[in-house]
Structures are given as C-alpha cells and as structure tokens.
C-alpha cells in the first residue's frame, strides 16, 4: 500500500503581531519581510501538511476592514476552489480576528477547512505563542473533521467557531473565548471536536454565492448613561445605511437615544440591537421609552447573542446581498 499523501494547505499571511519585529525600545513594528519569519517555522508545520505560503498583505489587525475583507474573501474562494488545495490557514492580528472571521464564515462557499490564527507575541519575541498557534492551526486545517464546520479560529490549543469567538483580554497569550466554549481542542495526541455550529455558515449560507466587491456603511453606536441620538444622526449624515446599537442589559437604551432609534427605524432605516454584556441574548423584554419592547415595536431588530461587532458584520453583508430588507429579521434568527 502506498504512503498516504499529506494534506495540501495554503498559509495566507495578512500581518498581525505574529509577523512583527521589536524596535530598539521594545515597541512592536511592522516587519519589512514578515513572510521570511514564517520560513523559520515551516519545518514544524510541514510535519503535518504540505504548506505553501502566500503573503496577501502585511498590516495590523486594526487595519483590516470591509475593503480588505472582500479582497481576502475573493482570494480565499480562488484558493479553496482549487482541487489541489485541501484547506487554508489565515494569519492575522488578534484585533481583527473576530470581525474578519465572521465575515468569511458568512461568505465563503466551501466545505474545506478554513482556519484563522494569530498571536499576542511575535515569532521573534521571547516566550512567543506564535509557533504553537501556527502548528495547531495547521493541524486543525489538515484534519478532515474540520471540514464543513465553517470558519474556525485556533489559539492556545482551543478551536472556536467564527460566530462565537471573542477577544476578552488585551495582552494575555490566551485572549480568546466563546460564550459556549470551544468546539474542540488540540493537544499532543491530536485534534478533538466535541460539537459543531448549528447556525447557517459557509456552504449553507445564502451569501456565499453572492458577488461581493463592496459593503455598505453600517455604524455602531454605544448606549451609556445620558446618551442621546447625536452620534446616530451624525452616522446617518455620513452615509450609514444601517445602525447597530451596543445596548445595555438585554437590549435597552436611554429614553433620549431610544426616541431617535425608534424614529429612524419607523422610517425604514435598519436598526439592530445587540448588547454590551459579554454573554446572553439581546431580547425585547422591557416596555417603556428606551426599553427593548418599545424598540422592537418600532421596527428594531434584535441580534440574538451576536456581539455588536458581529451584528454589524451580518447587517453589512445582508444589506448588500438581500433583495428585500424585510428578510433582515429572518437573517438574524438564522445566522
């Protein structure tokens, strides 16, 4: 019997701390040749798969935005459509991982493994978490069981769904978590999955086959004590086609902000209500000016347990792809 071939993976570099250098003062700076750093760890990666490295960009995670998302999505669709590629790993900055991962989760038409990873320390830093995260991401992407589960984020030995993953610590080498925990683990013995996403994604997403060259502007406003609607009005004046509210509690805002949100929702502007709370669903429970029940009756859509950042991503994609805004409530119930 012939030797079984190793999976063939594409390692796509977008930048992030993993590829950065330290200057003479210890500050992290963009490296001139970040892809050369990856070459140092390639032997460890190639134990698990045939890895081809591709430099897509070299930017911090904070620079990743809609214009880069759509270009990255286009490139990944090309890569994953090739019969000679079994899966892909994307390296990016931790600050851009949540939104980028969820955008790809909604819009990539594939069953092949697509794994995102990052690190809090660069490959050249002492005690870096980058080498292990890269190895673990490659191991997951090389595992057939990772296929069909949507976009995955792998860090610190844990496998998260793109829909759930959140950055919850600023500098710890284990900065990510998910409300329902990881989908699986990576350890010395192998890759182990214990559950899988039930909401629509990748191959089952209605957005995966849509041509995407741009995304509409959607702004995020935050509820806080004494908040009025000035920032919402400014966002609409700047061209926002929708508003996501990071509300308080289960989906409540001040009376002043509520009045503005209700007014614009009643005239057809999409308003999605999420919550600043780390866990739980935004839901229309309270009935008074600014309360969730009043917002829902005015036409605001509740984001279930999507974070404000992810609710914004879904609203942008839906506004670009849906033929009718009447489907927005359905979309937030299905994705």
């Amino acid at each position: 019997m012939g030797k079984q071939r190793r999976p063939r993976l594409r390692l796509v570099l977008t930048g992030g701390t993993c590829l950065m250098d330290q200057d003479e003062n210890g500050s992290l700076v963009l490296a001139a040749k970040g892809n050369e750093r990856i070459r140092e760890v390639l032997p460890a990666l190639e134990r698990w798969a045939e890895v081809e490295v591709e430099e897509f960009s070299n930017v911090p995670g904070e620079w990743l935005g809609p214009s880069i998302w759509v270009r990255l999505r286009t490139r990944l669709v090309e890569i994953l459509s090739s019969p000679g590629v079994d899966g892909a790993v994307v390296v990016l900055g931790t600050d851009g991982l949540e939104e980028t991962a969820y955008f790809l989760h909604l819009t990539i038409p594939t069953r092949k493994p697509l794994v995102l990873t990052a690190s809090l320390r660069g490959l050249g830093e002492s005690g870096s978490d980058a080498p292990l995260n890269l190895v673990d991401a490659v191991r997951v992407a090389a595992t057939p069981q990772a296929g069909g589960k949507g976009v995955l984020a792998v860090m610190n030995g844990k496998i998260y769904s793109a829909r759930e993953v959140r950055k919850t610590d600023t500098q710890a080498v284990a900065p990510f978590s998910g409300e329902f925990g990881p989908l699986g683990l990576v350890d010395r013995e192998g890759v182990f999955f214990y559950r899988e996403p039930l909401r629509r994604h990748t191959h089952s997403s209605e957005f995966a086959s849509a041509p995407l060259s741009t995304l509409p502007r959607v702004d995020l406003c935050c509820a806080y004590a004494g908040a009025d609607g000035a920032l919402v009005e400014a966002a609409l004046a700047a061209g926002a086609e929708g508003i996501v509210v990071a509300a308080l509690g289960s989906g409540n805002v001040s009376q002043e902000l509520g009045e503005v949100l209700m007014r614009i929702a009643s005239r057809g502007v999409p308003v999605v209500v999420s919550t600043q709370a780390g866990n739980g669903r935004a839901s229309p429970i309270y009935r008074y000016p600014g309360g969730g029940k009043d917002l829902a009756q005015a036409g605001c859509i509740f984001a279930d347990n999507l974070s404000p950042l992810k609710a914004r991503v879904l609203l942008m994609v839906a506004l670009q792809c849906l033929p009718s805004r009447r489907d927005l409530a359905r979309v937030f119930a299905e994705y």
Side-chain angles (χ1 to χ4, degrees):
M1 182 179 294
K3 184 178 180 181
Q4 186 177 9
R5 74 167 178 85
R6 291 176 297 161
R8 291 169 293 193
L9 304 181
R10 189 69 55 87
L11 181 62
V12 180
L13 311 180
T14 72
T17 301
C18 177
L19 306 178
M20 291 185 183
D21 286 332
Q22 283 183 298
D23 65 15
E24 62 276 7
N25 298 314
S27 300
L28 292 169
V29 296
L30 293 173
K33 297 180 179 179
N35 60 334
E36 291 188 358
R37 279 286 173 82
I38 291 291
R39 305 287 176 186
E40 300 172 10
V41 298
L42 264 182
L45 306 181
E46 290 178 339
R47 174 185 172 189
W48 307 99
E50 297 177 17
V51 179
E52 183 177 347
V53 180
E54 175 178 323
E55 187 172 43
F56 175 83
S57 63
N58 186 21
V59 298
E62 302 87 353
W63 292 11
L64 296 173
S67 62
I68 297 180
W69 293 345
V70 295
R71 290 193 295 109
L72 179 60
R73 181 248 189 178
T74 298
R75 182 60 189 135
L76 288 171
V77 169
E78 293 172 350
I79 290 170
L80 293 168
S81 298
S82 170
V85 174
D86 298 311
V89 174
V90 180
V91 179
L92 71 171
T94 57
D95 288 346
L97 188 145
E98 289 183 54
E99 293 161 285
T100 306
Y102 191 49
F103 172 75
L104 299 175
H105 191 68
L106 294 171
T107 63
I108 295 281
T110 189
R111 291 180 179 270
K112 294 180 181 179
L114 177 55
V115 177
L116 273 60
T117 193
S119 68
L120 267 291
R121 297 181 184 178
L123 280 165
E125 287 189 80
S126 176
S128 175
D129 55 331
L132 183 57
N133 286 341
L134 286 165
V135 169
D136 285 350
V138 166
R139 291 175 67 194
V140 172
T143 302
Q145 289 77 14
K149 291 183 172 60
V151 175
L152 305 173
V154 174
M155 286 188 68
N156 194 42
K158 295 180 172 60
I159 308 166
Y160 294 103
S161 168
R163 186 186 186 278
E164 300 171 5
V165 66
R166 296 189 189 188
K167 187 173 181 180
T168 55
D169 197 291
T170 59
Q171 297 187 47
V173 294
F176 287 96
S177 64
E179 181 173 359
F180 306 112
L183 301 182
L185 306 172
V186 192
D187 62 24
R188 290 180 175 87
E189 291 189 301
V191 175
F192 303 93
F193 283 97
Y194 300 97
R195 61 185 185 91
E196 60 185 29
L198 296 179
R199 296 297 182 99
R200 296 176 67 178
H201 60 76
T202 53
H203 59 87
S204 66
S205 171
E206 66 200 273
F207 310 122
S209 59
L212 283 173
S213 58
T214 186
L215 291 171
R217 176 168 181 160
V218 170
D219 281 318
L220 175 61
C221 76
C222 185
Y224 51 86
D228 59 20
L231 295 179
V232 173
E233 298 284 12
L236 295 176
E241 296 184 32
I243 299 292
V244 172
V245 187
L248 302 168
S250 61
N252 311 301
V253 300
S254 65
Q255 181 174 351
E256 296 82 2
L257 178 55
E259 290 172 351
V260 173
L261 295 176
M262 291 168 63
R263 183 172 70 249
I264 66 171
S266 65
R267 70 173 193 242
V269 176
V271 177
V272 174
V273 180
S274 180
T275 175
Q276 300 174 41
N279 296 308
R281 298 174 60 248
S283 53
I285 299 173
Y286 293 93
R287 189 166 194 170
Y288 47 74
K293 181 69 76 173
D294 280 21
L295 295 176
Q297 288 183 338
C300 297
I301 297 163
F302 278 67
D304 197 88
N305 71 330
L306 282 177
S307 71
L309 294 178
K310 292 197 171 77
R312 175 176 173 263
V313 173
L314 180 53
L315 182 56
M316 284 192 289
V317 171
L319 288 176
Q320 182 65 25
C321 299
L322 289 176
S324 172
R325 293 184 176 183
R326 290 193 296 269
D327 286 336
L328 286 174
R330 172 188 63 79
V331 163
F332 276 87
E334 294 180 358
Y335 289 85

